[in-house]
Amino acid sequence: MDPATLIGIALAFGSLFAMITIEGGHIASILLPAPMVLVFGATIAVGIAGGTIGDAISAFKAVPGAFVGKTTPPQQVIDQIVGLAEKARSAGLLALEQEADNVDDPFLRGALQNIADGTDGDELRILLEDELATRTKASRNASKFFTSLGGYAPTVGIIGTVISLTHVLENLDTPSTLGPMIAAAFVATLWGLLSANFLWLPIGNRLKRLSDIEVDRMTLLLEGALAVQAGSQPRLLGERLRAMVPAESPKSSKAGKSDKAAKSLPKAA
C-alpha cells in the first residue's frame, strides 16, 4: 500500500485549517452548506454530463484504488516470469497450463493458457497488446474524469460567488449584514479552488500514475510470456526484463546490487 494520496490530501487540508486557526478565524466560517452543495454537486453533475454514466460509475469505482495504491514491485514480476521460464524448459510448454491455474492475474493466466494451447507467437503478441491497450484505455478514462472535475470546479465556484453577490446587492438597505454576506459569497470560490486542487486533480493524477505503473507491469508480463514461449534461457530472460525497469525503481535489479558490490572491491594491481 502506498499512502501518498492520503498523506498529501490530509496535509493539504491540515495546512488550510492551520492557516485559519493562526489568523484567528473559525473553521465553521468556510463550512457553509449552500456553497459546498453547489460546488460539489454541480461539479460532479457537469462531469457526468461531459461523458457517459458508465464513465462516471467506473471512475468512482476506481477511487478506492487511488487511495490504497497497491502496486507490484518489478522484481516480483521478473522472478515470477523467470520461474515460469525454468518450468517451461524443464517440463515443456504444456506444463504452463497447470501453472496458469495457480496464477491470480487474469492477463498472465490468459497468456500462459494460450502458450500451452500452441498459439502462434505473432498472434499471441497481437492478442496481449490489444488486451493491454483496452485496460489502459479504461484506467485512463477514470483519470480523465477526475481531471475534468478539477477544471470545472473553480468555474462552478465563481458561479456560486456571483449568485451570492447578487443576493448581497438585493440587501444593500441593511449595511450591518453586508460584511458577513460578502464573506460568505466568496466561500463558493474558495471551495471551487479547494476541491479542484486538493481533491479532483490529485486523484486524477494519482490514477494516471497508477495506470502507468500497471502498464509497465503488464508490459513486463507480455515480453516475458513471449520470451518463455520462444524458449529463452531463464537467466538471460531475467537480465533482459531487469533492463526494462528504470534504475530508480525500488528493488528493481538484483544485478545492480552485485555490480555496486563489485565496484567497491579493490582493483588488482
Side-chain angles (χ1 to χ4, degrees):
M1 176 178 176
D2 185 340
T5 300
L6 283 172
I7 293 174
I9 291 178
L11 288 176
F13 277 101
S15 300
L16 170 68
F17 295 150
M19 174 187 173
I20 294 173
T21 303
I22 292 172
E23 290 190 345
H26 301 282
I27 295 176
S29 63
I30 67 170
L31 299 178
L32 302 181
M36 293 177 68
V37 168
L38 173 67
V39 170
F40 285 96
T43 298
I44 294 174
V46 294
I48 294 173
T52 66
I53 294 294
D55 291 337
I57 293 174
S58 298
F60 282 107
K61 284 183 177 179
V63 170
F67 286 96
V68 174
K70 291 183 178 179
T71 58
T72 304
Q75 188 58 49
Q76 181 177 331
V77 177
I78 294 172
D79 291 341
Q80 184 179 23
I81 291 296
V82 170
L84 293 171
E86 293 173 347
K87 181 72 174 182
R89 284 178 67 89
S90 62
L93 294 178
L94 289 177
L96 296 180
E97 184 172 9
Q98 182 178 0
E99 292 294 324
D101 296 333
N102 301 323
V103 173
D104 295 329
D105 182 13
F107 182 78
L108 179 57
R109 182 168 59 247
L112 296 178
Q113 290 174 343
N114 278 284
I115 292 174
D117 291 340
T119 303
D120 180 74
D122 292 335
E123 293 181 356
L124 180 58
R125 175 176 288 277
I126 293 173
L127 176 65
L128 296 179
E129 287 179 347
D130 287 346
E131 185 176 351
L132 174 58
T134 301
R135 291 198 187 186
T136 302
K137 184 177 180 180
S139 59
R140 291 290 171 84
N141 284 340
S143 171
K144 289 179 180 178
F145 178 82
F146 287 104
T147 301
S148 70
L149 295 189
Y152 293 133
T155 305
V156 173
I158 293 174
I159 292 173
T161 296
V162 172
I163 294 172
S164 296
L165 290 177
T166 302
H167 182 60
V168 170
L169 294 176
E170 293 175 347
N171 293 273
L172 291 178
D173 55 341
T174 56
S176 62
T177 63
L178 289 182
M181 290 178 66
I182 293 174
F186 285 99
V187 171
T189 298
L190 173 64
W191 276 108
L193 295 171
L194 281 180
S195 61
N197 294 283
F198 285 15
L199 289 175
W200 308 133
L201 292 178
I203 291 176
N205 290 332
R206 170 72 161 185
L207 289 174
K208 183 179 183 300
R209 175 57 180 152
L210 291 177
S211 174
D212 292 341
I213 293 175
E214 179 65 6
V215 168
D216 292 341
R217 185 188 72 86
M218 294 177 67
T219 300
L220 282 177
L221 291 176
L222 185 153
E223 296 298 336
L226 292 172
V228 169
Q229 183 187 42
S232 296
Q233 202 273 342
R235 183 181 63 81
L236 294 178
L237 174 57
E239 293 179 358
R240 176 191 170 192
L241 295 179
R242 279 190 288 270
M244 296 173 60
V245 178
E248 63 271 13
S249 295
K251 302 179 181 179
S252 61
S253 175
K254 292 180 179 177
K257 295 180 181 179
S258 61
D259 291 342
K260 292 180 180 178
K263 291 179 181 180
S264 65
L265 295 175
K267 294 183 179 180

